Amino acid sequence: MVRHIRRIPLGTATRTCISSSGAAASRVRAWSEMGTKFTIRIRTSACFRVANRSCTSSGINESRPFSSAAARAADITASRSRSIEPPRQLAPSTSSVSEEEVAHFDALASTWWDADRNPLIGMNPTRVSYIVQTLQTAGGGVLGSSVDSSAVSRPTDTSHPPPRPLHGLRALDVGCGGGLLSESLARLGADVTAVDPSIEVANAAREHSQHHPLTRRIDYRGGMSAEDLVRELTIVDANVTDANITAADASAHLFDLVCVLEVVEHATDPQSLLDSACQLLRPGGLLFVSTLNRTAKSYVLAIAGAEHIMRMVPVGTHTWEKFLSPAEVGDLIISSEESKMEVVDTCGMVLKPPFVDMRWTLDRNDTDVNWIGAYRKKENKEEEHF
């Protein structure tokens, strides 16, 4: 008996659509044809909340009831004329997503790519450099050439096409936000899937990705957590012969690298989040995690300094008690349900003075505040199907 992957069809009891216009772009709507009002169903990570609301933003005038079948058909036709895409609807489940955090980041969607309001823009080249360097040294030789970290900060400069050392690799960006990391990985050649529990933020990321030919292929999935993706790509026990699949088929939907960057500190259940990330990683693949260490120094710099004094990020963005040390994250990953993970490396990320220009560097001797780590999923030499 071996394991393979099968996709679970995502059932939909009602017809749904996502409107791509205006502020309504993030809402998932399901309509009932039994009455004169429409029911809007807003999907969260754990459940579907149902509330009657106005649908004027979708182009349907709810201020009057449908007076005739013709008027009703005209309104529905008008609403369908806009660009829509089918949502990925999931049944309610327990996950590590905080509804409060989702609402917080929804409000940041429009400013995600504003360098004056998002310090992650300055940090991103350093994170990407670490990922590429680690894949080169500990990724089983899948990468050949080195990469200039400045290449990831030229998202629209087609006159200087960046090197593509990640070509042929499948990458997953968990908690992708507005797509900073996703776009960098795509420009370096990876086939990127990006999930985020915020539909609003994922829509902003999808819109921004259209500005460059190398990033348009990113598969953004708003309203989805890592746990949801595991459920979509459910791993089951089956007989390879009976299922008529090969070893390659069994691991086709897993990822060569999974990134969970600046996400763990916002999760309600870090163990669940990291368990899911490990399950989505193919044997031999690398998991990258970055977060903040829970130290007095991190409180002074990340909470008091960055939020309350410098106002670099909105007050309340971070909760110091949720910060995790490299040892704590390592323990969570090693003790995951997969139990096939090993620590590869950890390294600090330090903001260089003067701090206002947001220049970051890697420092193995300083993990007191921001840090990033790499973890490998062991290959089972006894089973050729994986």
Side-chain angles (χ1 to χ4, degrees), residues 46 51 85 100-101 119 165 206 262-264 282 285 292 294 319 333 352:
E85 63 181 57
E100 182 179 352
E101 294 279 2
R206 184 182 297 107
E262 278 64 56
V263 175
V264 175
R282 71 163 178 80
L292 294 100
R294 193 176 62 259
T319 303
I333 291 174
K352 297 169 63 176

Side-chain angles (χ1 to χ4, degrees), residues 2-5 238-251:
V2 297
R3 299 188 305 173
H4 77 284
I5 297 174
N239 184 286
V240 172
T241 302
D242 292 345
N244 195 27
I245 63 170
T246 65
D249 293 330
S251 59

Side-chain angles (χ1 to χ4, degrees), residues 14-15 30-39 41 66 72:
T14 57
R15 293 183 290 173
W31 61 77
S32 168
E33 298 187 6
M34 298 301 294
T36 61
K37 287 190 175 182
F38 285 77
T39 299
R41 298 196 173 192
F66 286 112
R72 177 179 177 181

Side-chain angles (χ1 to χ4, degrees), residues 36-330:
T36 61
K37 287 190 175 182
F38 285 77
T39 299
I40 295 178
R41 298 196 173 192
I42 301 175
R43 182 192 181 284
T44 68
S45 60
C47 64
F48 291 102
R49 292 181 171 181
V50 181
N52 288 328
R53 298 186 180 181
S54 171
C55 290
T56 56
S57 60
S58 68
I60 299 175
N61 184 2
E62 197 190 36
S63 62
R64 60 174 176 81
F66 286 112
S67 57
S68 67
R72 177 179 177 181
D75 277 8
I76 293 178
T77 300
S79 70
R80 290 179 180 177
S81 65
R82 292 167 171 77
S83 174
I84 62 172
E85 63 181 57
R88 300 174 183 274
Q89 195 174 24
L90 296 170
S93 67
T94 301
S95 79
S96 58
V97 175
S98 163
E99 296 178 28
E100 182 179 352
E101 294 279 2
V102 172
H104 175 83
F105 286 104
D106 277 347
L108 304 179
S110 62
T111 60
W112 205 277
W113 287 88
D114 184 346
D116 294 329
R117 303 175 71 175
N118 188 355
L120 292 181
I121 293 177
M123 179 191 286
N124 194 55
T126 303
R127 304 188 303 183
V128 175
S129 292
Y130 177 84
I131 291 171
V132 174
Q133 292 168 14
T134 305
L135 284 168
Q136 289 172 338
T137 58
V142 294
L143 299 181
S145 60
S146 60
V147 60
D148 177 6
S149 62
S150 65
V152 304
S153 58
R154 297 194 297 263
T156 58
D157 186 1
T158 56
S159 64
H160 296 85
R164 306 187 69 197
L166 305 186
H167 179 70
L169 299 183
R170 299 191 71 239
L172 173 65
D173 186 4
V174 176
C176 63
L180 292 174
L181 178 66
S182 300
E183 290 199 11
S184 295
L185 298 177
R187 289 194 298 273
L188 294 175
D191 179 10
V192 180
T193 297
V195 300
D196 197 283
S198 168
I199 299 176
E200 191 86 31
V201 171
N203 283 343
R206 184 182 297 107
E207 179 180 356
H208 189 275
S209 70
Q210 303 306 305
H211 299 164
H212 192 277
L214 293 177
T215 61
R216 291 172 189 158
R217 298 178 296 107
I218 299 173
D219 180 15
Y220 283 109
R221 305 188 184 187
M224 177 173 282
S225 66
E227 292 91 340
D228 291 333
L229 189 57
V230 168
R231 291 172 56 236
E232 181 180 310
L233 305 176
T234 302
I235 300 176
V236 298
D237 289 329
N239 184 286
V240 172
T241 302
D242 292 345
N244 195 27
I245 63 170
T246 65
D249 293 330
S251 59
H253 300 296
L254 298 180
F255 297 89
D256 300 291
L257 61 151
V258 175
C259 300
V260 187
L261 306 190
E262 278 64 56
V263 175
V264 175
E265 67 270 22
H266 302 290
T268 59
D269 187 349
Q271 182 74 74
S272 174
L273 170 63
L274 294 172
D275 280 352
S276 297
C278 292
Q279 292 180 59
L280 293 165
L281 190 66
R282 71 163 178 80
L286 290 178
L287 167 67
F288 293 92
V289 177
S290 63
T291 186
L292 294 100
N293 200 347
R294 193 176 62 259
T295 63
K297 183 177 177 180
S298 70
Y299 184 87
V300 171
L301 294 180
I303 304 288
E307 294 189 15
H308 293 274
I309 298 175
M310 300 294 293
R311 300 288 176 161
M312 297 168 65
V313 293
V315 173
T317 296
H318 297 109
T319 303
W320 183 78
E321 290 79 9
K322 290 186 175 182
F323 293 177
L324 295 170
S325 69
E328 289 172 324
V329 170

